[in-house]
Amino acid sequence: MHQWTRWPLRITSSLAALLLFNQAVFAGQFLSGTFPALQNHRDNATYAGIAVLAAAVAAALIRWPGGGPIWPVPAFLALLGLITVQITLGFLRVLAVHIPLGVTIIVAALLLAAWSWRYRPAASPIREAEPVGARS
Amino acid sequence: MSLSRRQLLGGLSAVGAAAAVGVPFLSGVRGSSSTGELLPSRIGLPKPFTLPFRVPPVLAPARADATGDYYRVTQRAALAEILPGVRTPIWGYEGLFPGPTIRSVRGRRTVVTHRNELPVPVVVHLHGGHTPAGQDGFPTDLLYPVGWTGEHTMTDGVMAHGSRDYVYPMTQPAATLWYHDHRMDFTGPAVWRGLAGFHLVSDPAEDALGLPTGDRDLPVMIADRSFDADGSLRYPSLDRSLLHAPGVHEPYGSGVLGDVILVNGVPWPVAEVPAVRHRLRLLNASNARRYRLTLDPPGPLVQIGADGGLLEGPIAHEALEIAPAQRFDVVVDFGRYRPGQVVTLRNEFGDDTTTPIMRFRIGGAVPDTSRVPDRLAPAAPAGRTAVTRDLRFRHGEVNGMAGWTINGDAFDPARAAATPRLGDTEIWRLSSDFHHPIHLHLASFRVLSRGIGGPGPYDHGPKDTVDLRPAEQASILVRFTDHPGRYVFHCHNLEHEDMGMMGVFTVRR
């Protein structure tokens, strides 16, 4: 049983969610006049993107060899796509979209991270052949 | 009871997550009262309230006749004793920092002949002056030094060598003005080195009010500076000659904040004052620092004037927020305090060294015939608005480097961002990303609104500089009168100004 396959996703998706939440923290700070927070906001966007990419890779482990669902992979890749759009919008100062999209990204990242902690692998395809209750 | 591995991991994860968000959140939760970086001094600093307060000397006219008052000012390098026992090289008007105070009377032409003995070209701007375009100190109207053998910057400005006259008609109400250097790209370091002084305008209407005068009318120039180990003024210029590359080292591109508060060039001075009403002409001559001024023990700061002159009536404040280049004329009644008591002017936006500003030691009670009338000046006339303009002051890219922009553009002396018609009244909607004190040359204005409300508590009266806070919009009502031609408007965070945040407006006939 590949129970361990949940852990890389739990760690990377939680890290991604925390880094993405910190984008709001840094935004609040430069909107309070703290100039270096703007650079933090910019740098942290890159780190958060890397964390989401790592989460997409970790999500693949849920499927192979974990035997779990495939949807987390496209979900994290979609999140990465939104982040790419978000970074572009930030540089272009399209704040009327950047801010609501940022909220959406943070909510999505938190939901995905929460799922990674709730997820219990169902019996794997191999084990499905075995009688119920035979699992240790 | 023992922790399971699972509980331990869970607990550690929760602590880690809380720290990952909590540390950055808490470390920055207070925001910033000024946009800028603190540049620490590298020399021992005197104890606050040990050095005597002084006011800059009043310049005597070289001559005065029916055509006006004529002054001569030589700009030169000098050594000043700012810190006790330390010689600090400065650039000064008449070799002084602050420069000598010039006093004009409304309607009486004032001619100031500036002679440049500094190693760089200069531009003199009378800040708050209602001045013809050619005399206003356009940033490329350079006055080259006496005997200049260096190259000449190719500009479309008016060049002069050695000395030139600045002719001020002074057709404006009584007000606390100031003059300072305004050369394109190098205003921040030049003002930091000392090129700033008061220019006070009086008029008979003000004289008749009975406000405190004479030695009870004190100009108070507040400026933060930092000192290097050798006693020189520390400033992060890329090019210390101030001739070639403009700008400052990172991280100071957002503004330079000093850790020494100078009042009229003296660190944290103490003034002996009789227990009577005094008029304090507060000027923030700092490059980037904003202050929130209060008295301790608490007492009202009764505002009677703003940048462009007297308010319609006095306003009592518990505190005053003053952005770079702004002036607040206040009356403080020291008669409220006991003789011998000390009253401290504090900065609630400050830290260890920048919270104290200066101290007053209250002397004996003496007769006081001064008063603060309920009516000070007539109401501003209302005008029909011809144009509404939107001007966005933002961080942005300037020549491939981090800089500051207006509507996305960096300063270009050849391109007008606005072309108001002479005599027109306009509404300018100004919006910001960080703290930007926005200053218009030529015209004083009224603040109509700030955010979704009316003017803020520090927006009253005739202004020439409005204090925009981060992500804020303010609307100002401005009338362009008397003088056509080319002027600038800009952020008075001088590092922002030098790194692009300036625009041209051309008043057309």
Side-chain angles (χ1 to χ4, degrees):
Chain A
M1 179 55 212
H2 300 293
Q3 288 289 343
W4 64 269
T5 58
R6 294 178 295 170
W7 281 98
L9 184 65
R10 285 177 173 180
I11 291 165
T12 53
S13 67
S14 302
L15 183 67
L18 290 171
L19 291 173
L20 287 167
F21 184 81
N22 274 352
Q23 288 298 86
V25 171
F26 295 130
Q29 289 173 8
F30 72 73
L31 287 170
S32 302
T34 303
F35 183 74
L38 181 58
Q39 187 69 44
N40 293 340
H41 186 71
R42 180 172 161 173
D43 295 343
N44 192 59
T46 309
Y47 306 146
I50 293 168
V52 170
L53 183 62
V57 173
L61 296 176
I62 296 278
R63 182 74 184 90
W64 307 286
I70 185 68
W71 68 262
V73 176
F76 279 102
L77 289 176
L79 186 61
L80 186 64
L82 286 181
I83 289 170
T84 313
V85 172
Q86 175 71 344
I87 289 173
T88 311
L89 292 173
F91 276 105
L92 294 174
R93 288 185 191 284
V94 188
L95 300 188
V97 183
H98 183 79
I99 290 171
L101 182 56
V103 172
T104 307
I105 287 171
I106 291 169
V107 169
L110 288 170
L111 288 174
L112 286 170
W115 177 84
S116 77
W117 287 96
R118 279 203 315 270
Y119 170 64
R120 297 278 181 278
S124 68
I126 304 158
R127 303 260 171 133
E128 269 166 6
E130 296 173 14
V132 175
R135 290 177 59 192
S136 56
Chain B
M1 197 187 95
S2 70
L3 279 174
S4 71
R5 194 182 64 156
R6 185 188 174 85
Q7 282 170 323
L8 183 69
L9 271 176
L12 285 176
S13 305
V15 168
V21 172
V23 169
F25 175 78
L26 290 174
S27 65
V29 74
R30 285 176 46 204
S32 299
S33 53
S34 305
T35 296
E37 277 292 316
L38 185 71
L39 180 73
S41 289
R42 294 164 163 164
I43 193 169
L45 300 175
K47 266 185 62 170
F49 319 130
T50 52
L51 298 163
F53 172 84
R54 58 176 164 80
V55 297
V58 174
L59 192 65
R63 79 188 158 88
D65 59 28
T67 64
D69 297 327
Y70 295 80
Y71 294 90
R72 292 182 179 285
V73 172
T74 300
Q75 304 187 27
R76 57 185 172 83
L79 289 173
E81 185 175 336
I82 298 170
L83 306 174
V86 176
R87 298 231 174 255
T88 299
I90 61 153
W91 287 357
Y93 297 111
E94 293 290 283
L96 300 173
F97 171 46
T101 298
I102 298 174
R103 283 186 168 271
S104 290
V105 177
R106 178 177 191 170
R108 190 162 163 79
R109 193 163 156 269
T110 299
V111 180
V112 186
T113 305
H114 277 270
R115 179 179 164 85
N116 180 7
E117 295 184 0
L118 290 167
V120 298
V122 297
V123 172
V124 181
H125 171 55
L126 176 57
H127 185 121
H130 189 56
T131 306
Q135 312 298 319
D136 188 59
F138 192 82
T140 55
D141 286 352
L142 301 176
L143 169 58
Y144 282 92
V146 174
W148 178 254
T149 54
E151 60 198 74
H152 291 85
T153 318
M154 294 307 289
T155 74
D156 55 353
V158 178
M159 237 192 314
H161 285 87
S163 66
R164 66 157 282 179
D165 290 349
Y166 287 92
V167 182
Y168 304 120
M170 288 299 166
T171 50
Q172 60 187 97
T176 300
L177 312 184
W178 62 304
Y179 61 107
H180 62 78
D181 197 63
H182 212 301
R183 179 166 57 114
M184 180 173 163
D185 294 344
F186 295 100
T187 296
V191 171
W192 188 269
R193 289 183 192 195
L195 292 177
F198 281 100
H199 191 139
L200 310 179
V201 186
S202 63
D203 69 23
E206 184 194 56
D207 295 344
L209 293 173
L211 298 167
T213 58
D215 55 9
R216 297 170 188 178
D217 173 359
L218 304 174
V220 177
M221 176 193 285
I222 303 172
D224 61 339
R225 294 289 186 269
S226 293
F227 292 84
D228 218 327
D230 61 2
S232 65
L233 288 162
R234 188 175 176 213
Y235 188 85
S237 286
L238 291 176
D239 170 14
R240 290 193 56 79
S241 75
L242 306 191
L243 285 171
H244 308 292
V248 290
H249 292 291
E250 288 308 320
Y252 297 101
S254 59
V256 179
L257 304 174
D259 60 1
V260 179
I261 302 298
L262 302 180
V263 176
N264 295 338
V266 181
W268 307 287
V270 56
E272 310 282 344
V273 290
V276 294
R277 274 182 286 274
H278 280 69
R279 176 178 186 170
L280 307 179
R281 299 174 184 260
L282 303 169
L283 157 65
N284 181 354
S286 307
N287 284 27
R289 184 177 290 281
R290 296 168 69 250
Y291 301 82
R292 182 178 165 87
L293 301 174
T294 57
L295 292 174
D296 177 29
L301 295 156
V302 178
Q303 186 188 0
I304 55 167
D307 305 336
L310 294 169
L311 306 184
E312 289 165 37
I315 301 173
H317 297 274
E318 281 175 28
L320 280 176
E321 291 182 14
I322 181 168
Q326 289 190 314
R327 286 88 69 209
F328 286 84
D329 272 19
V330 300
V331 172
V332 175
D333 186 2
F334 292 120
R336 300 177 63 253
Y337 300 96
R338 284 176 287 104
Q341 198 172 356
V342 291
V343 178
T344 306
L345 184 65
R346 293 176 78 248
N347 167 28
E348 291 186 348
F349 285 162
D351 52 26
D352 311 350
T353 65
T354 54
T355 295
I357 303 288
M358 68 172 291
R359 181 165 278 178
F360 299 93
R361 191 172 293 127
I362 311 302
V366 292
D368 186 2
T369 58
S370 74
R371 58 191 211 100
V372 180
D374 292 335
R375 301 288 306 161
L376 295 165
R384 232 169 46 89
T385 309
V387 181
T388 299
R389 300 182 194 275
D390 281 300
L391 295 150
R392 291 174 294 276
F393 296 80
R394 302 264 192 271
H395 186 254
E397 203 168 275
V398 176
N399 303 326
M401 287 163 55
W404 299 92
T405 63
I406 303 174
N407 287 354
D409 295 321
F411 180 54
D412 177 354
R415 192 194 56 241
T419 52
R421 239 194 11 231
L422 190 65
D424 270 2
T425 301
E426 300 194 346
I427 291 176
W428 286 21
R429 288 192 297 228
L430 315 170
S431 64
S432 63
D433 56 354
F434 289 94
H435 292 97
H436 295 303
I438 304 304
H439 169 49
L440 269 65
H441 288 212
L442 175 67
S444 84
F445 54 76
R446 303 272 165 166
V447 179
L448 295 176
S449 66
R450 180 182 282 277
I452 53 172
Y458 317 113
D459 291 333
H460 296 288
K463 307 285 274 188
D464 58 46
T465 308
V466 60
D467 178 25
L468 285 187
R469 294 171 301 181
E472 191 167 50
Q473 188 190 69
S475 292
I476 61 170
L477 185 73
V478 55
R479 188 154 173 248
F480 300 93
T481 58
D482 300 328
H483 305 301
R486 188 171 71 152
Y487 294 88
V488 290
F489 65 105
H490 59 90
C491 177
H492 223 287
N493 175 315
L494 297 182
E495 285 71 37
H496 297 188
E497 177 189 335
D498 284 345
M499 289 311 289
M501 197 171 262
M502 178 150 63
V504 171
F505 67 91
T506 303
V507 182
R508 59 202 161 88
R509 285 187 186 279

